């Protein structure tokens, strides 16, 4: 069985991966996302799971940076998974008056750095007096709260982390939007066997030639006149020289299609550099 590195245990990454890949793989948990990437680079695992984008937060920039700058692991699949955030901690000690806010006793919240953007309304309403401290995953926050046993410190994470670390669930589904979803990527040298999917995607990075007016327009028109649909385009710093950018482009088409390779050739012909991050099946959420 193939081994898959995940951020975990008891994280959203684990929930999402078990839902998608079922019992056909061996899961190995790592505490840091850098360790998740490196596990596959070092050959400890065949594949790594990377949360890449969220409905409320947008791209997880740190993870995009790792994918682009630190490793060279092709994308093998993507899928989306619903994310229900929960406030996990200890209730206020009896006898302490909290007025209308039952969470006024919480002075610190531990969670992953993407979480405040996903729970901003709840945090503004009930946790405005609490300091936010970033930890390596939502589950790590719950683990620390369990170790501290202090009602003033709470976490935001999965229901399974609340159960596994024995910390009560104070409030369920505190994310801003009911349909909060995160998109996950499966990356690795070898494509695993997966159910066939009608939807295919290709992700490319395009660096424009310097001082070439209208270069981005030409890149886009290479797709437009072929009626190739782009599902995402984001400019990101090259990290080599201030003011230089590359474009991260998701294309709703396969590299095996007739038109996409010629669009890429056209873009290269105007002097752009193109790096293909992967051409892979895309799965929507099936409960
Ligand atoms: O910390 C976790 O539980 C994770 O799996 C990471 C992560 C992320 O990086 O986006 C995954 C899904 C949610 O959007 C929140 C956090």
């Amino acid at each position: 069985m193939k081994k898959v590195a995940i951020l975990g245990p008891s994280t959203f990454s684990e929930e999402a991966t078990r839902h998608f890949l079922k019992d056909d793989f061996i899961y190995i948990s790592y505490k840091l996302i850098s360790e998740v990437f490196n596990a596959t680079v070092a050959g400890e695992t065949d594949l790594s799971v990377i949360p890449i984008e969220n409905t409320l937060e947008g791209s997880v920039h740190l993870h995009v940076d790792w994918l682009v700058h630190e490793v060279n692991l092709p994308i093998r699949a993507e899928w989306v998974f619903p994310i229900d955030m929960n406030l996990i901690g200890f209730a206020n000690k009896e006898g302490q008056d909290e007025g209308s806010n039952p969470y006024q006793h919480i002075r610190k919240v531990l969670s992953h750095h993407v979480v405040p953007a996903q729970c901003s309304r709840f945090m503004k309403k009930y946790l405005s007096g609490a300091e936010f401290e970033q930890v390596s995953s939502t589950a790590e926050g719950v683990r620390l709260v369990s170790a501290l046993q202090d009602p003033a410190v709470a976490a935001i994470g999965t229901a399974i982390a609340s159960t596994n670390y024995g910390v009560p669930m104070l409030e369920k589904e505190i994310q801003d939007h009911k349909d909060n979803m995160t998109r996950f990527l499966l990356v690795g040298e070898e494509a695993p066997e997966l159910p066939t999917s009608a939807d295919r995607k290709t992700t490319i990075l395009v660096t424009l030639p310097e001082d070439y007016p209208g270069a981005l327009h030409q890149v886009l028109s290479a797709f437009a006149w072929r009626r190739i649909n782009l599902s995402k385009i984001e400019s990101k710093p090259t990290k080599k020289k201030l003011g230089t950018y590359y474009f991260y482009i998701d294309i709703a088409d396969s590299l095996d299609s007739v038109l996409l390779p010629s669009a890429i050739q056209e873009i290269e012909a105007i002097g752009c550099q193109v790096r293909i991050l992967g051409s892979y099946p895309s799965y929507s959420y099936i409960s």
Side-chain angles (χ1 to χ4, degrees):
M1 276 206 277
K2 282 202 185 321
K3 291 181 185 154
V4 181
I6 53 169
L7 186 70
S10 307
T11 54
F12 289 104
S13 293
E14 179 169 5
E15 276 187 358
T17 309
R18 287 191 186 278
H19 181 85
F20 174 54
L21 294 178
K22 313 274 188 297
D23 293 333
D24 305 335
F25 294 80
I26 296 166
Y27 302 112
I28 304 181
S29 290
Y30 294 86
K31 215 169 160 183
L32 303 173
I33 199 72
S34 54
E35 294 171 344
V36 172
F37 276 105
N38 283 332
T40 298
V41 173
E44 281 168 33
T45 59
D46 302 286
L47 297 151
S48 296
V49 171
I50 312 299
I52 203 76
E53 188 177 4
N54 171 263
T55 320
L56 296 158
E57 162 76 339
S59 289
V60 187
H61 299 292
L62 176 74
H63 303 180
V64 176
D65 280 353
W66 262 88
L67 193 66
V68 170
H69 298 291
E70 307 292 337
V71 296
N72 197 1
L73 295 171
I75 304 172
R76 298 300 180 184
E78 72 156 32
W79 74 102
V80 291
F81 189 74
I83 304 291
D84 286 339
M85 294 284 175
N86 308 288
L87 181 66
I88 298 164
F90 301 98
N92 192 18
K93 290 198 186 80
E94 261 178 65
Q96 281 183 12
D97 181 25
E98 296 207 78
S100 58
N101 180 1
Y103 308 122
Q104 210 168 327
H105 63 286
I106 298 172
R107 310 310 300 173
K108 194 186 258 190
V109 178
L110 309 177
S111 200
H112 190 275
H113 73 271
V114 300
V115 168
Q118 295 183 38
C119 307
S120 65
R121 288 198 204 123
F122 183 91
M123 290 179 79
K124 207 165 151 194
K125 191 165 174 194
Y126 296 106
L127 300 168
S128 59
E131 173 199 347
F132 179 80
E133 194 176 303
Q134 176 184 328
V135 287
S136 58
S137 73
T138 57
E140 177 62 5
V142 183
R143 190 189 70 78
L144 290 167
V145 169
S146 163
L148 287 168
Q149 296 283 316
D150 177 358
V153 186
I156 296 177
T158 61
I160 193 81
S162 154
T163 308
N164 289 352
Y165 290 112
V167 185
M169 177 91 94
L170 293 177
E171 187 100 23
K172 282 185 184 167
E173 298 180 21
I174 62 165
Q175 69 278 8
D176 285 1
H177 199 285
K178 202 168 84 23
D179 296 324
N180 186 30
M181 295 269 181
T182 292
R183 198 150 64 87
F184 291 85
L185 299 181
L186 192 62
V187 301
E189 286 305 338
E190 258 181 64
E193 263 183 52
L194 293 171
T196 46
S197 161
D199 294 329
R200 304 281 309 183
K201 255 190 181 177
T202 301
T203 299
I204 62 169
L205 307 180
V206 176
T207 313
L208 304 182
E210 272 184 55
D211 296 330
Y212 187 112
L216 178 60
H217 180 93
Q218 274 196 274
V219 168
L220 295 179
S221 75
F223 296 113
W225 74 259
R226 291 179 176 84
R227 305 189 68 76
I228 297 174
N229 206 11
L230 307 185
S231 54
K232 170 172 171 174
I233 176 162
E234 213 165 80
S235 79
K236 316 262 308 155
T238 59
K239 296 192 181 237
K240 289 184 184 139
K241 188 175 158 200
L242 184 69
T244 58
Y245 299 89
Y246 68 86
F247 290 89
Y248 183 108
I249 303 176
D250 278 348
I251 304 158
D253 205 354
S254 165
L255 209 51
D256 297 335
S257 68
V258 180
L259 294 175
L260 185 53
S262 63
I264 291 175
Q265 274 168 18
E266 186 178 318
I267 293 165
E268 284 173 330
I270 60 167
C272 294
Q273 279 173 13
V274 180
R275 182 174 148 204
I276 295 165
L277 286 191
S279 191
Y280 49 89
S282 166
Y283 302 85
S284 11
Y285 176 66
I286 303 161
S287 60

